[in-house]
Amino acid sequence: MVKDPQLIKKRREQMVKGAVRLFKQKGFHKTTTREIAKESGFSIGTLYEYIGSKEDVLYLVCDSIYDEVRERLVHQLDTSSRGMTRLKKAVAAYFQVIHDMQDEVLVMYQEAKSLPKEALSYVLKKEMEMTEMIEVILRDSLKEEAICLTEEKIKLISHNILVQAHMWTFRRWSIQKLYGLKEYTDLQIEQLLHGVYRPN
């Protein structure tokens, strides 16, 4: 209903932040749209000027998180380094982004199943785009090192990088008691890229 793009962007950011806090505390199903409006700093009437249902808020949350993860990763990538050094820095940058956004990532994975089928398909597509972004970094870095991997291995390593970064969030109740972020990242890079190094 609102035509002003800047106002839409501002309100959506408020909704996403408010919804993430509530979904983390109560879960999607136990949170009401009235609570989302209040947490976002405006009335229920104003909320419905921007959304049609509570599921729309969850969709916005998932969409916003993926976009922010991508933007932060692109911003943190070290384009001055090459080869395996560049790849390791890219993996470390991704782990850092997930660490910085761990509440959002946790909420997204816990609650995305509540999305309608069409919206869930869109979110899963965004997940694949993130994996493909890692694949591109992996291919480019290995090309600079003259290392050749099969497409199957590249895809699997890319998925593993994403999963191990997300594990920092999913199992933080245990993992973060055992390791600091740098130690965890270094150990995971060693494991993830063990089969990638050029043989002596």
Side-chain angles (χ1 to χ4, degrees):
M1 291 171 60
V2 180
K3 305 297 184 187
D4 182 348
Q6 290 302 316
L7 185 57
I8 290 170
K9 184 175 185 292
K10 179 183 175 183
R11 291 290 190 236
R12 283 182 174 174
E13 287 173 355
Q14 289 174 290
M15 272 189 277
V16 166
K17 287 178 183 175
V20 165
R21 286 192 292 269
L22 288 168
F23 294 166
K24 181 187 169 190
Q25 292 168 10
K26 305 176 64 173
F28 171 75
H29 290 292
K30 290 184 179 178
T31 300
T32 67
T33 49
R34 191 170 296 279
E35 288 171 326
I36 293 170
K38 183 179 179 183
E39 190 72 18
S40 303
F42 40 79
S43 70
I44 186 72
T46 300
L47 182 76
Y48 278 111
E49 290 178 6
Y50 296 88
I51 61 158
S53 68
K54 189 169 70 167
E55 285 75 17
D56 289 348
V57 178
L58 180 56
Y59 170 85
L60 287 174
V61 166
C62 293
D63 194 45
S64 171
I65 290 168
Y66 273 115
D67 286 346
E68 189 169 351
V69 167
R70 176 181 288 274
E71 286 173 17
R72 288 192 185 202
L73 180 57
V74 169
H75 180 72
Q76 289 195 28
L77 285 178
D78 180 1
T79 54
S80 63
S81 56
R82 293 175 57 80
M84 291 301 295
T85 301
R86 179 175 174 230
L87 179 56
K88 288 178 182 179
K89 287 185 176 181
V91 174
Y94 186 69
F95 277 44
Q96 181 66 56
V97 169
I98 297 302
H99 170 75
D100 293 341
M101 296 183 64
Q102 54 188 290
D103 285 345
E104 290 88 341
V105 171
L106 189 61
V107 163
M108 182 181 66
Y109 277 102
Q110 285 177 335
E111 305 298 348
K113 62 184 180 294
S114 300
L115 285 168
K117 187 176 179 181
E118 186 177 333
L120 180 59
S121 295
Y122 173 80
V123 168
L124 294 176
K125 181 174 177 286
K126 299 275 274 194
E127 174 84 357
M128 287 308 300
E129 287 172 2
M130 189 62 61
T131 310
E132 288 162 7
M133 186 177 177
I134 300 293
E135 285 179 25
V136 170
I137 295 168
L138 189 56
R139 283 192 196 95
D140 290 347
S141 299
L142 296 181
K143 194 182 297 180
E144 291 168 354
E145 291 278 343
I147 296 173
C148 184
L149 289 181
T150 63
E151 272 300 298
E152 289 79 6
K153 286 185 178 179
I154 286 174
K155 288 183 181 299
L156 184 58
I157 292 169
S158 299
H159 278 287
N160 283 342
I161 288 168
L162 264 74
V163 169
Q164 296 308 320
H166 296 165
M167 189 169 80
W168 178 252
T169 294
F170 298 148
R171 295 187 61 80
R172 62 186 181 183
W173 54 272
S174 175
I175 294 287
Q176 294 186 22
K177 291 177 182 175
L178 299 172
Y179 310 102
L181 178 62
K182 185 179 186 312
E183 184 184 8
Y184 177 79
T185 301
D186 290 345
L187 287 169
Q188 288 292 1
I189 287 174
E190 184 181 341
Q191 292 290 320
L192 289 162
L193 304 182
H194 176 72
V196 174
Y197 289 103
R198 189 207 311 261
N200 294 326

